[in-house]
Amino acid sequence: MGLLHRQLALAALNANAFHPPRGLRSGVYAFAAGWLTTELAPQLLGLTALDAATHPPRAGDRSRAAGLALAAANAAALGVMVAQAQRARGGVETALTDALGVDYVEQLDQAPTPADLALPWRQLATPLRVFRRGPDGVQVERDIAYADAGRRTMLDVYRPSEPVHPGGAPVLLQVHGGAWRVGSKETQAVPLMQHLASKGWVCVAINYRLAPRDPWPAHIVDVKRAIAWVRQHIGAYGGDPSYLAITGGSAGGHLAALAALTPGDPDFQPGFEDADTHVEAAVPHYGVYDFAGATGLPRAIRMRDRFLGPLILRRRFADDPAPFEAASPLLRITPDAPDFLVLHGTADSLVDVEQARLFVDRLREVSDRSVVYAELPGAQHAFDTLPSIRSAHVVRAIDRYLHWHWNGWRGRPVGDSPAEVAEDQS
């Protein structure tokens, strides 16, 4: 493949990244290409520059001249993507200050330093390395059973090698995505869990049963079982069972939001109805919040009728709407909803960003707790899966949010260190 053909292919990827198709089927293909293009834009920019540098102009070679011109245009487009990703830092910080107040950082153990906010360029240069080796000081214990369905009900625990919080560390439960049909605990939110574990948190990543072998509501039942397991057993891993936040992306964002909004729902807790399944905070990413099509959004209705009904719930909405409504976080919001930080990208070709906007509007209308919404321009679905400029800024913002929330939850006076709090409580 020559220079011109390579640059034509890259131009097509760039066009898809900026303007992805939004159809139910075409959106899947647009997502796969757009996600990699937007999050790996710095690497693609470097390769484009190298491609152009190694193919200097040659007299009379119109193909090469066209390829070099297209390479310049591609480099400009990739530069825009890099700039968009960099602006995520300011965007998520604005979302936090708008919802929590400009003084929210006073509730942190310490205000973030420039070093805390700096991008981990070594990690970003080799993004796949995060799945092979985590940061020093973090250990992972894998394949712990929380229920009896084999590998689909196992979990991994990420924790600091040396405990940081003597009174028990705050806990984050991670629910993977994958359209309720695929996915695994080892492949998603790894940068977030490694980062938080390095800061003293205990993070739990779970598998859960998948459709079509196990139709709905097996997925949410397993998430509830995992929450109950954490409440009962996480103390043995250094976690504080009284504080649990939940997160997840895509299908995992749906499950995290639904679990947060339905503590103790007996329909989702068969055989363990009395288990404590509440959470203190929820951080769903690019989630599906409307199973029932209650928003009236055309894409939500198409997803309901062409995908969720036949493949996940194994029933038709027209025949039995109640399960779709019960599975819709948008329809389960009450004044008792926990605190939420919701994240979604404007270029998401799989789940309409309008779902997140309407979900947040409803939360702010009904809930008595705080609601933070960070909308990320140019971000595709699954923007946080790999270490990237955007995901690094998002991870650090979630770090600040969760530390703010945890410190407020335990009533730590501003300025006291965790050790001082533990001493005061002893």
Side-chain angles (χ1 to χ4, degrees):
M1 180 184 291
L3 171 66
L4 178 58
H5 291 95
R6 287 193 296 273
Q7 294 305 317
L8 283 170
L10 181 56
L13 290 174
N14 289 340
N16 173 74
F18 284 112
H19 301 289
R22 311 294 177 123
L24 190 62
R25 184 169 297 177
S26 62
V28 175
Y29 301 111
F31 148 66
W35 159 57
L36 290 172
T37 304
T38 53
E39 299 312 312
L40 297 180
Q43 289 87 341
L44 290 173
L45 180 57
L47 290 173
T48 301
L50 180 63
D51 201 14
T54 54
H55 293 81
R58 191 163 56 192
D61 191 337
R62 294 182 178 181
S63 175
R64 180 168 294 193
L68 288 171
L70 196 52
N74 282 332
L78 291 166
V80 171
M81 292 183 214
V82 171
Q84 278 186 328
Q86 283 280 28
R87 287 197 292 272
R89 172 178 169 177
V92 291
E93 183 61 20
T94 297
L96 290 171
T97 55
D98 285 350
L100 308 179
V102 294
D103 59 347
Y104 86 94
V105 293
E106 296 178 4
Q107 192 65 27
L108 307 179
D109 296 334
Q110 62 180 22
T113 67
D116 294 328
L117 299 175
L119 289 170
W121 286 110
R122 181 178 299 178
Q123 185 185 71
L124 301 187
T126 55
L128 295 180
R129 183 179 174 84
V130 72
F131 298 105
R132 299 194 298 269
R133 184 179 183 276
D136 294 336
V138 173
Q139 65 183 57
V140 185
E141 298 185 40
R142 299 195 183 277
D143 296 333
I144 302 165
Y146 69 86
D148 58 0
R151 180 160 180 77
R152 292 314 313 173
T153 51
M154 289 185 176
L155 56 81
D156 298 340
V157 176
Y158 294 68
R159 58 173 173 160
S161 301
E162 297 294 333
V164 175
H165 303 289
V171 183
L172 179 70
L173 180 68
Q174 152 65 22
V175 187
H176 72 75
W180 305 271
R181 303 185 74 195
V182 297
S184 70
K185 56 185 170 57
E186 297 88 0
T187 59
Q188 296 179 31
V190 174
L192 174 62
M193 292 187 291
Q194 290 182 348
H195 178 80
L196 285 176
S198 73
K199 302 287 285 288
W201 283 61
V202 172
C203 299
V204 178
I206 68 167
N207 280 340
Y208 52 88
R209 288 173 291 168
L210 300 171
R213 176 177 176 176
D214 294 292
W216 185 265
H219 319 72
I220 188 64
V221 170
D222 287 349
V223 173
K224 297 279 192 168
R225 287 190 185 279
I227 294 172
W229 183 94
V230 168
R231 294 289 185 190
Q232 293 180 337
H233 301 288
I234 203 62
Y237 300 88
D240 180 354
S242 64
Y243 183 89
L244 174 61
I246 191 168
T247 189
S250 192
H254 161 259
L255 292 167
L258 186 62
L261 294 167
T262 58
D265 185 333
D267 291 337
F268 296 155
Q269 297 181 207
F272 61 110
E273 292 85 355
D274 295 332
D276 179 3
T277 57
H278 84 279
V279 299
E280 276 64 43
V283 187
H285 299 50
Y286 41 88
V288 178
Y289 306 111
D290 181 18
F291 265 43
T295 58
L297 296 171
R299 289 171 65 190
I301 294 172
R302 287 197 299 269
M303 180 182 286
R304 179 197 72 193
D305 293 340
R306 300 180 189 176
F307 179 74
L308 294 173
L311 298 177
I312 308 304
L313 279 76
R314 307 284 290 276
R315 64 192 74 202
R316 296 177 63 228
F317 177 80
D319 297 333
D320 189 7
F324 293 82
E325 294 167 351
S328 296
L330 181 72
L331 301 179
R332 304 301 299 266
I333 299 169
T334 70
D336 296 326
D339 298 278
F340 267 83
L341 165 57
V342 180
L343 301 110
H344 214 104
T346 61
D348 194 321
S349 64
L350 293 183
V351 183
D352 194 339
V353 66
E354 192 65 24
Q355 277 204 40
R357 294 169 182 165
L358 294 172
F359 178 64
V360 167
D361 287 346
R362 184 62 177 163
L363 275 171
R364 288 173 171 166
E365 178 185 347
V366 175
S367 172
D368 292 333
R369 306 294 289 275
S370 67
V371 181
V372 183
Y373 177 52
E375 187 169 293
L376 305 172
Q380 247 289 3
H381 205 72
F383 59 79
D384 62 322
T385 303
L386 292 173
S388 68
I389 293 173
R390 182 181 285 107
S391 70
H393 290 316
V394 169
V395 162
R396 283 152 180 76
I398 294 172
D399 172 357
R400 296 195 296 279
Y401 172 77
L402 287 176
H403 274 96
W404 167 84
H405 190 274
W406 180 56
N407 284 337
W409 172 84
R410 62 184 178 151
R412 180 178 70 80
V414 174
D416 284 0
S417 69
E420 289 170 331
V421 172
E423 183 177 350
D424 291 342
Q425 293 175 346
S426 62

